[in-house]
Amino acid sequence: MVPHLITALTGPINELEQRVLESMPAIERWFRLEWMEHTPPFYTSVDLRNAGFKLAPVDTNLFPARWSNLTPEMLPLAVQSAMAAIEKICPDAKNLLVIPENDTRNTFYLANLAQLKRIFHMAGLNVRIGSIDPELKEPKTFEVPGGERVTVEPVVRSRRRLGLKDFDPCTILLNNDLSLGAPGIVEDLHEQYLLPPLHAGWSVRRKSNHFKSYEEVAKRFGKMLGIDPWLINPMFNMCGEVDFSQGEGMECLATNVDALLTKIRKKYKEYGINEKPFVVVKADNGTCGMGIMTVRDVRDLDGLSRKAKDKMNVIQDGQEVRQVIIQEGVLTNERINDAVAEPVVYMMDRYVVGGFYRVHADRGTDENLNAPGSAFVPLAFAESTRLPQPGEKPGASAPNRFYMYGVIGRLAMLAASYELEATDPEAEVYD
């Protein structure tokens, strides 16, 4: 099913789409050269926002967990990409161990595991799912929507290898974002590939590092394409120590929010944009749509309610927020059946394999859609036989729009590659 996109592209994004389509050979060559120098993350999903005058990534996830939202038509791309990724890492791989989140009660998450297992099985691997949850003592089988069954088994650590009873994998795929840190059981493995690496986990990773890398990528790409990088880059500031529960660091937060709002107003004036600027204050680590606040006026910070402070103070697994990133807010002008929507692009290795729209009927164009009540509609990659059509009128073709989304998604994936290289604890450091 192809979603009905109510919003037509106009203004700067229309021009950006035209420039992207006209430059397709140059863009693909640019990416090809980048991937000769840098290793893409094993798999990635990117949340995008299309404001009509700006298209930018707002979040990049290195442990994507919505694979079940991909349609059957998207699976061949995912399988081919999985084959390419595994061939580069461990060509003679036979067994793959998937390590899930510890909480496997969510049926949607279990469906995600079933889809991952299907993809890698079709890529030619024996796939089993092994939990590092110390509470799991014996295999448990769950039924997921559609009648499929998923078995989760307790992992076994022997010497310097990790596996299951009678199952020794060459490659271990983490689908657990390690928000609470890497447990010792996954450290110091011998001749086993752990993907993504441990320093990709949210106990180490910081969004500010990612968007600093993305800013660099956007500048280089913008120069190559001859566009203002602001059209594809969300500006940001950050604030060090913040304690919402005690009200500490709020002056630093207010100063940086005000400075960023001023920069956005200047850009809006330059492009003749008649929208009210806003920023999004987020925990600098973590996901799941927690620890996020929209600020339209710096004075809003003075009147934060106790409930709002509590929501900002703690994210998943009860972690306290002590660092925040202040990100330029990007409106979303996409609509599906009158509900606000944002595209999410899924990639494996260096390839776009599909995606979906995150849709929320009760949220506004300037609000976070990754919240309870959101729904998911597959992207139009279901039209697998239709490639981008450079000759078509900009803004009129779904495949053209999705090609542009894939380009921006790959820029964010490339930024994640830069980020992981810069934060790799085992990388050689030269004076």
Side-chain angles (χ1 to χ4, degrees):
M1 184 189 85
V2 177
H4 176 57
L5 300 171
I6 294 173
T7 314
L9 293 180
T10 58
I13 288 299
N14 218 348
E15 297 163 18
L16 176 63
E17 181 189 298
Q18 190 160 7
R19 184 70 61 88
V20 165
L21 291 169
E22 291 170 349
S23 307
M24 196 184 300
I27 289 171
E28 295 306 324
R29 177 179 182 273
W30 187 85
F31 275 121
R32 198 160 56 244
L33 294 175
E34 286 292 329
W35 295 130
M36 288 176 68
E37 299 292 330
H38 306 281
T39 302
F42 189 80
Y43 55 7
T44 316
S45 69
V46 179
D47 297 356
L48 303 177
R49 303 274 285 201
N50 178 1
F53 55 84
K54 179 179 183 126
L55 172 65
V58 293
D59 201 15
T60 300
N61 187 359
L62 300 182
F63 301 88
R66 291 277 181 184
W67 289 93
S68 50
N69 288 332
L70 301 190
T71 63
E73 292 85 356
M74 298 175 189
L75 280 183
L77 279 174
V79 171
Q80 289 173 356
S81 301
M83 286 178 173
I86 291 293
E87 279 176 17
K88 286 196 305 189
I89 295 157
C90 185
D92 62 345
K94 183 171 68 172
N95 297 333
L96 174 75
L97 177 66
V98 178
I99 296 182
E101 296 286 350
N102 285 356
D103 185 359
T104 52
R105 292 170 296 180
N106 186 315
T107 55
F108 295 107
Y109 181 69
L110 289 167
N112 158 74
L113 294 178
Q115 184 83 303
L116 277 174
K117 184 174 181 179
R118 184 179 301 111
I119 289 169
F120 287 101
H121 175 75
M122 294 171 73
L125 293 163
N126 300 314
V127 186
R128 285 166 70 176
I129 300 168
S131 176
I132 56 174
D133 182 359
E135 299 297 317
L136 186 70
K137 304 297 184 185
E138 56 187 32
K140 290 184 71 172
T141 300
F142 304 87
E143 191 166 312
V144 298
E148 198 169 0
R149 290 174 175 269
V150 173
T151 299
V152 181
E153 305 173 65
V155 296
V156 176
R157 177 74 185 237
S158 58
R159 296 181 185 173
R160 293 175 63 192
R161 291 180 73 84
L162 191 64
L164 303 175
K165 186 179 179 182
D166 304 321
F167 187 78
D168 185 34
C170 157
T171 305
I172 299 168
L173 179 63
L174 285 172
N175 199 239
N176 180 320
D177 65 18
L178 304 177
S179 293
L180 294 177
I185 198 169
V186 298
E187 295 181 314
D188 194 29
L189 298 177
H190 181 62
E191 294 183 351
Q192 284 181 308
Y193 296 93
L194 186 67
L195 304 165
L198 293 179
H199 67 283
W202 278 124
S203 58
V204 177
R205 193 172 173 233
R206 294 294 177 266
K207 294 175 185 178
S208 50
N209 287 336
H210 175 73
F211 282 100
K212 183 179 179 183
S213 294
Y214 183 81
E215 186 174 55
E216 179 187 345
V217 167
K219 285 178 179 176
R220 294 180 56 240
F221 184 79
K223 184 177 180 181
M224 187 268 292
L225 215 59
I227 62 167
D228 180 354
W230 177 77
L231 293 173
I232 58 171
N233 178 40
M235 297 185 291
F236 75 96
N237 278 344
M238 61 176 298
C239 208
E241 290 298 314
V242 177
D243 187 336
F244 286 94
S245 64
Q246 301 297 321
E248 296 172 1
M250 299 303 287
E251 187 177 330
C252 167
L253 181 61
T255 300
N256 282 282
V257 164
D258 192 41
L260 188 52
L261 283 170
T262 300
K263 287 172 71 174
I264 301 169
R265 286 189 199 101
K266 186 177 177 182
K267 275 293 182 183
Y268 278 19
K269 186 176 180 181
E270 178 184 339
Y271 281 91
I273 296 164
N274 296 316
E275 299 285 353
K276 185 175 177 61
F278 67 101
V279 299
V280 179
V281 179
K282 305 179 184 180
D284 204 18
N285 65 318
T287 181
C288 300
M290 301 177 72
I292 299 177
M293 173 174 63
T294 299
V295 182
R296 300 167 185 85
D297 190 304
V298 70
R299 289 172 293 187
D300 295 346
L301 295 172
D302 295 332
L304 279 184
S305 66
R306 170 51 57 187
K307 183 179 179 182
K309 289 180 178 178
D310 287 345
K311 284 178 69 175
M312 285 301 298
N313 194 51
V314 178
I315 54 174
Q316 81 252 39
D317 298 322
Q319 297 176 85
E320 293 185 339
V321 175
R322 288 297 175 265
Q323 285 182 302
V324 295
I325 179 174
I326 305 149
Q327 190 176 64
E328 174 187 355
V330 182
L331 295 167
T332 179
N333 277 331
E334 292 282 34
R335 295 285 191 287
I336 295 178
N337 299 327
D338 290 328
V340 176
E342 64 184 12
V344 184
V345 177
Y346 267 53
M347 292 159 286
M348 191 171 291
D349 194 56
R350 57 194 177 101
Y351 306 103
V352 174
V353 299
F356 52 84
Y357 273 102
R358 181 182 285 115
V359 184
H360 206 303
D362 299 324
R363 291 287 172 113
T365 59
D366 61 351
E367 293 184 290
N368 169 44
L369 305 188
N370 187 8
S374 60
F376 306 94
V377 178
L379 277 172
F381 296 147
E383 291 188 272
S384 55
T385 57
R386 280 210 66 193
L387 294 171
Q389 306 295 313
E392 290 190 7
K393 183 180 177 182
S397 163
N400 284 357
R401 191 185 302 193
F402 298 137
Y403 175 73
M404 180 171 64
Y405 288 168
V407 167
I408 304 302
R410 284 184 287 166
L411 291 177
M413 177 171 60
L414 179 59
S417 175
Y418 285 21
E419 170 199 355
L420 291 178
E421 288 170 8
T423 56
D424 185 351
E426 296 183 9
E428 294 185 28
V429 178
Y430 300 95
D431 293 329

